[in-house]
Amino acid sequence: MEKFKSYKDLNVYQKAFEAAMRIFELSKFFPKEETYSLTDQIRRSSRSVCANVAEGFRRRKYIQSFCNCISISEGEASETQNWLDFAFRCGYISEEVYEELMNEYEHIIGMLVNMQKYSDKWKI
């Protein structure tokens, strides 16, 4: 397996970070009444995907801890998909944007599942 110096080198981190930034930009246009509900929740869950990958990367010497962080990241990605469902159904994002982001998060989730499945390859 390729040796990584930083969590920032991980493709899954880069994809999750870009998706979170896209969500941030889109959510700037959500209605004011969503500030402390949908806007806050979708921003937090999308950012948490990245944060937990970063944390897990530093916990690689303890495989259970690593897998726990990656599992949390997977859950946060799924939560982000849930908030995207609401954003779409409420008319805050277009169907095209919704489909693109849902597909991106499916890809991210797949990468996270594989990290857990082959966790022995991540041990340092």
Side-chain angles (χ1 to χ4, degrees):
M1 186 180 90
E2 186 178 345
K3 298 294 179 189
F4 299 97
K5 293 181 181 180
S6 167
Y7 62 88
K8 291 181 180 181
D9 297 330
L10 302 175
N11 194 17
V12 68
Y13 176 85
Q14 294 167 6
K15 287 185 174 299
F17 188 87
E18 288 306 315
M21 290 305 299
R22 184 157 184 217
I23 285 171
F24 172 75
E25 291 300 326
L26 290 167
S27 66
K28 286 180 180 180
F29 302 100
F30 289 2
K32 217 40 164 168
E33 63 266 16
E34 294 286 8
T35 299
Y36 300 108
S37 52
L38 179 59
T39 304
D40 182 55
Q41 293 291 347
I42 197 168
R43 286 178 179 178
R44 289 172 56 142
S45 65
S46 65
R47 291 171 178 172
S48 188
V49 177
C50 305
N52 281 287
V53 168
E55 183 177 350
F57 182 80
R58 290 293 172 205
R59 294 179 179 239
R60 290 172 295 146
K61 59 185 163 187
Y62 307 108
I63 289 299
Q64 281 187 313
S65 186
F66 167 78
C67 285
N68 184 54
C69 289
I70 300 304
S71 178
I72 291 169
S73 186
E74 180 188 348
E76 294 292 339
S78 185
E79 180 181 340
T80 301
Q81 288 181 311
N82 171 70
W83 296 123
L84 287 168
D85 289 339
F86 279 102
F88 174 64
R89 288 291 299 271
C90 291
Y92 305 150
I93 59 175
S94 69
E95 185 172 1
E96 179 182 349
V97 168
Y98 171 76
E99 291 296 333
E100 287 172 8
L101 284 167
M102 289 298 278
N103 289 335
E104 187 64 23
Y105 274 98
E106 280 301 314
H107 185 68
I108 291 166
I109 289 169
M111 294 171 82
L112 294 168
V113 166
N114 280 328
M115 287 176 80
Q116 292 171 80
K117 185 175 180 180
Y118 302 107
S119 60
D120 55 314
K121 293 182 179 182
W122 290 93
K123 186 167 173 61
I124 56 171

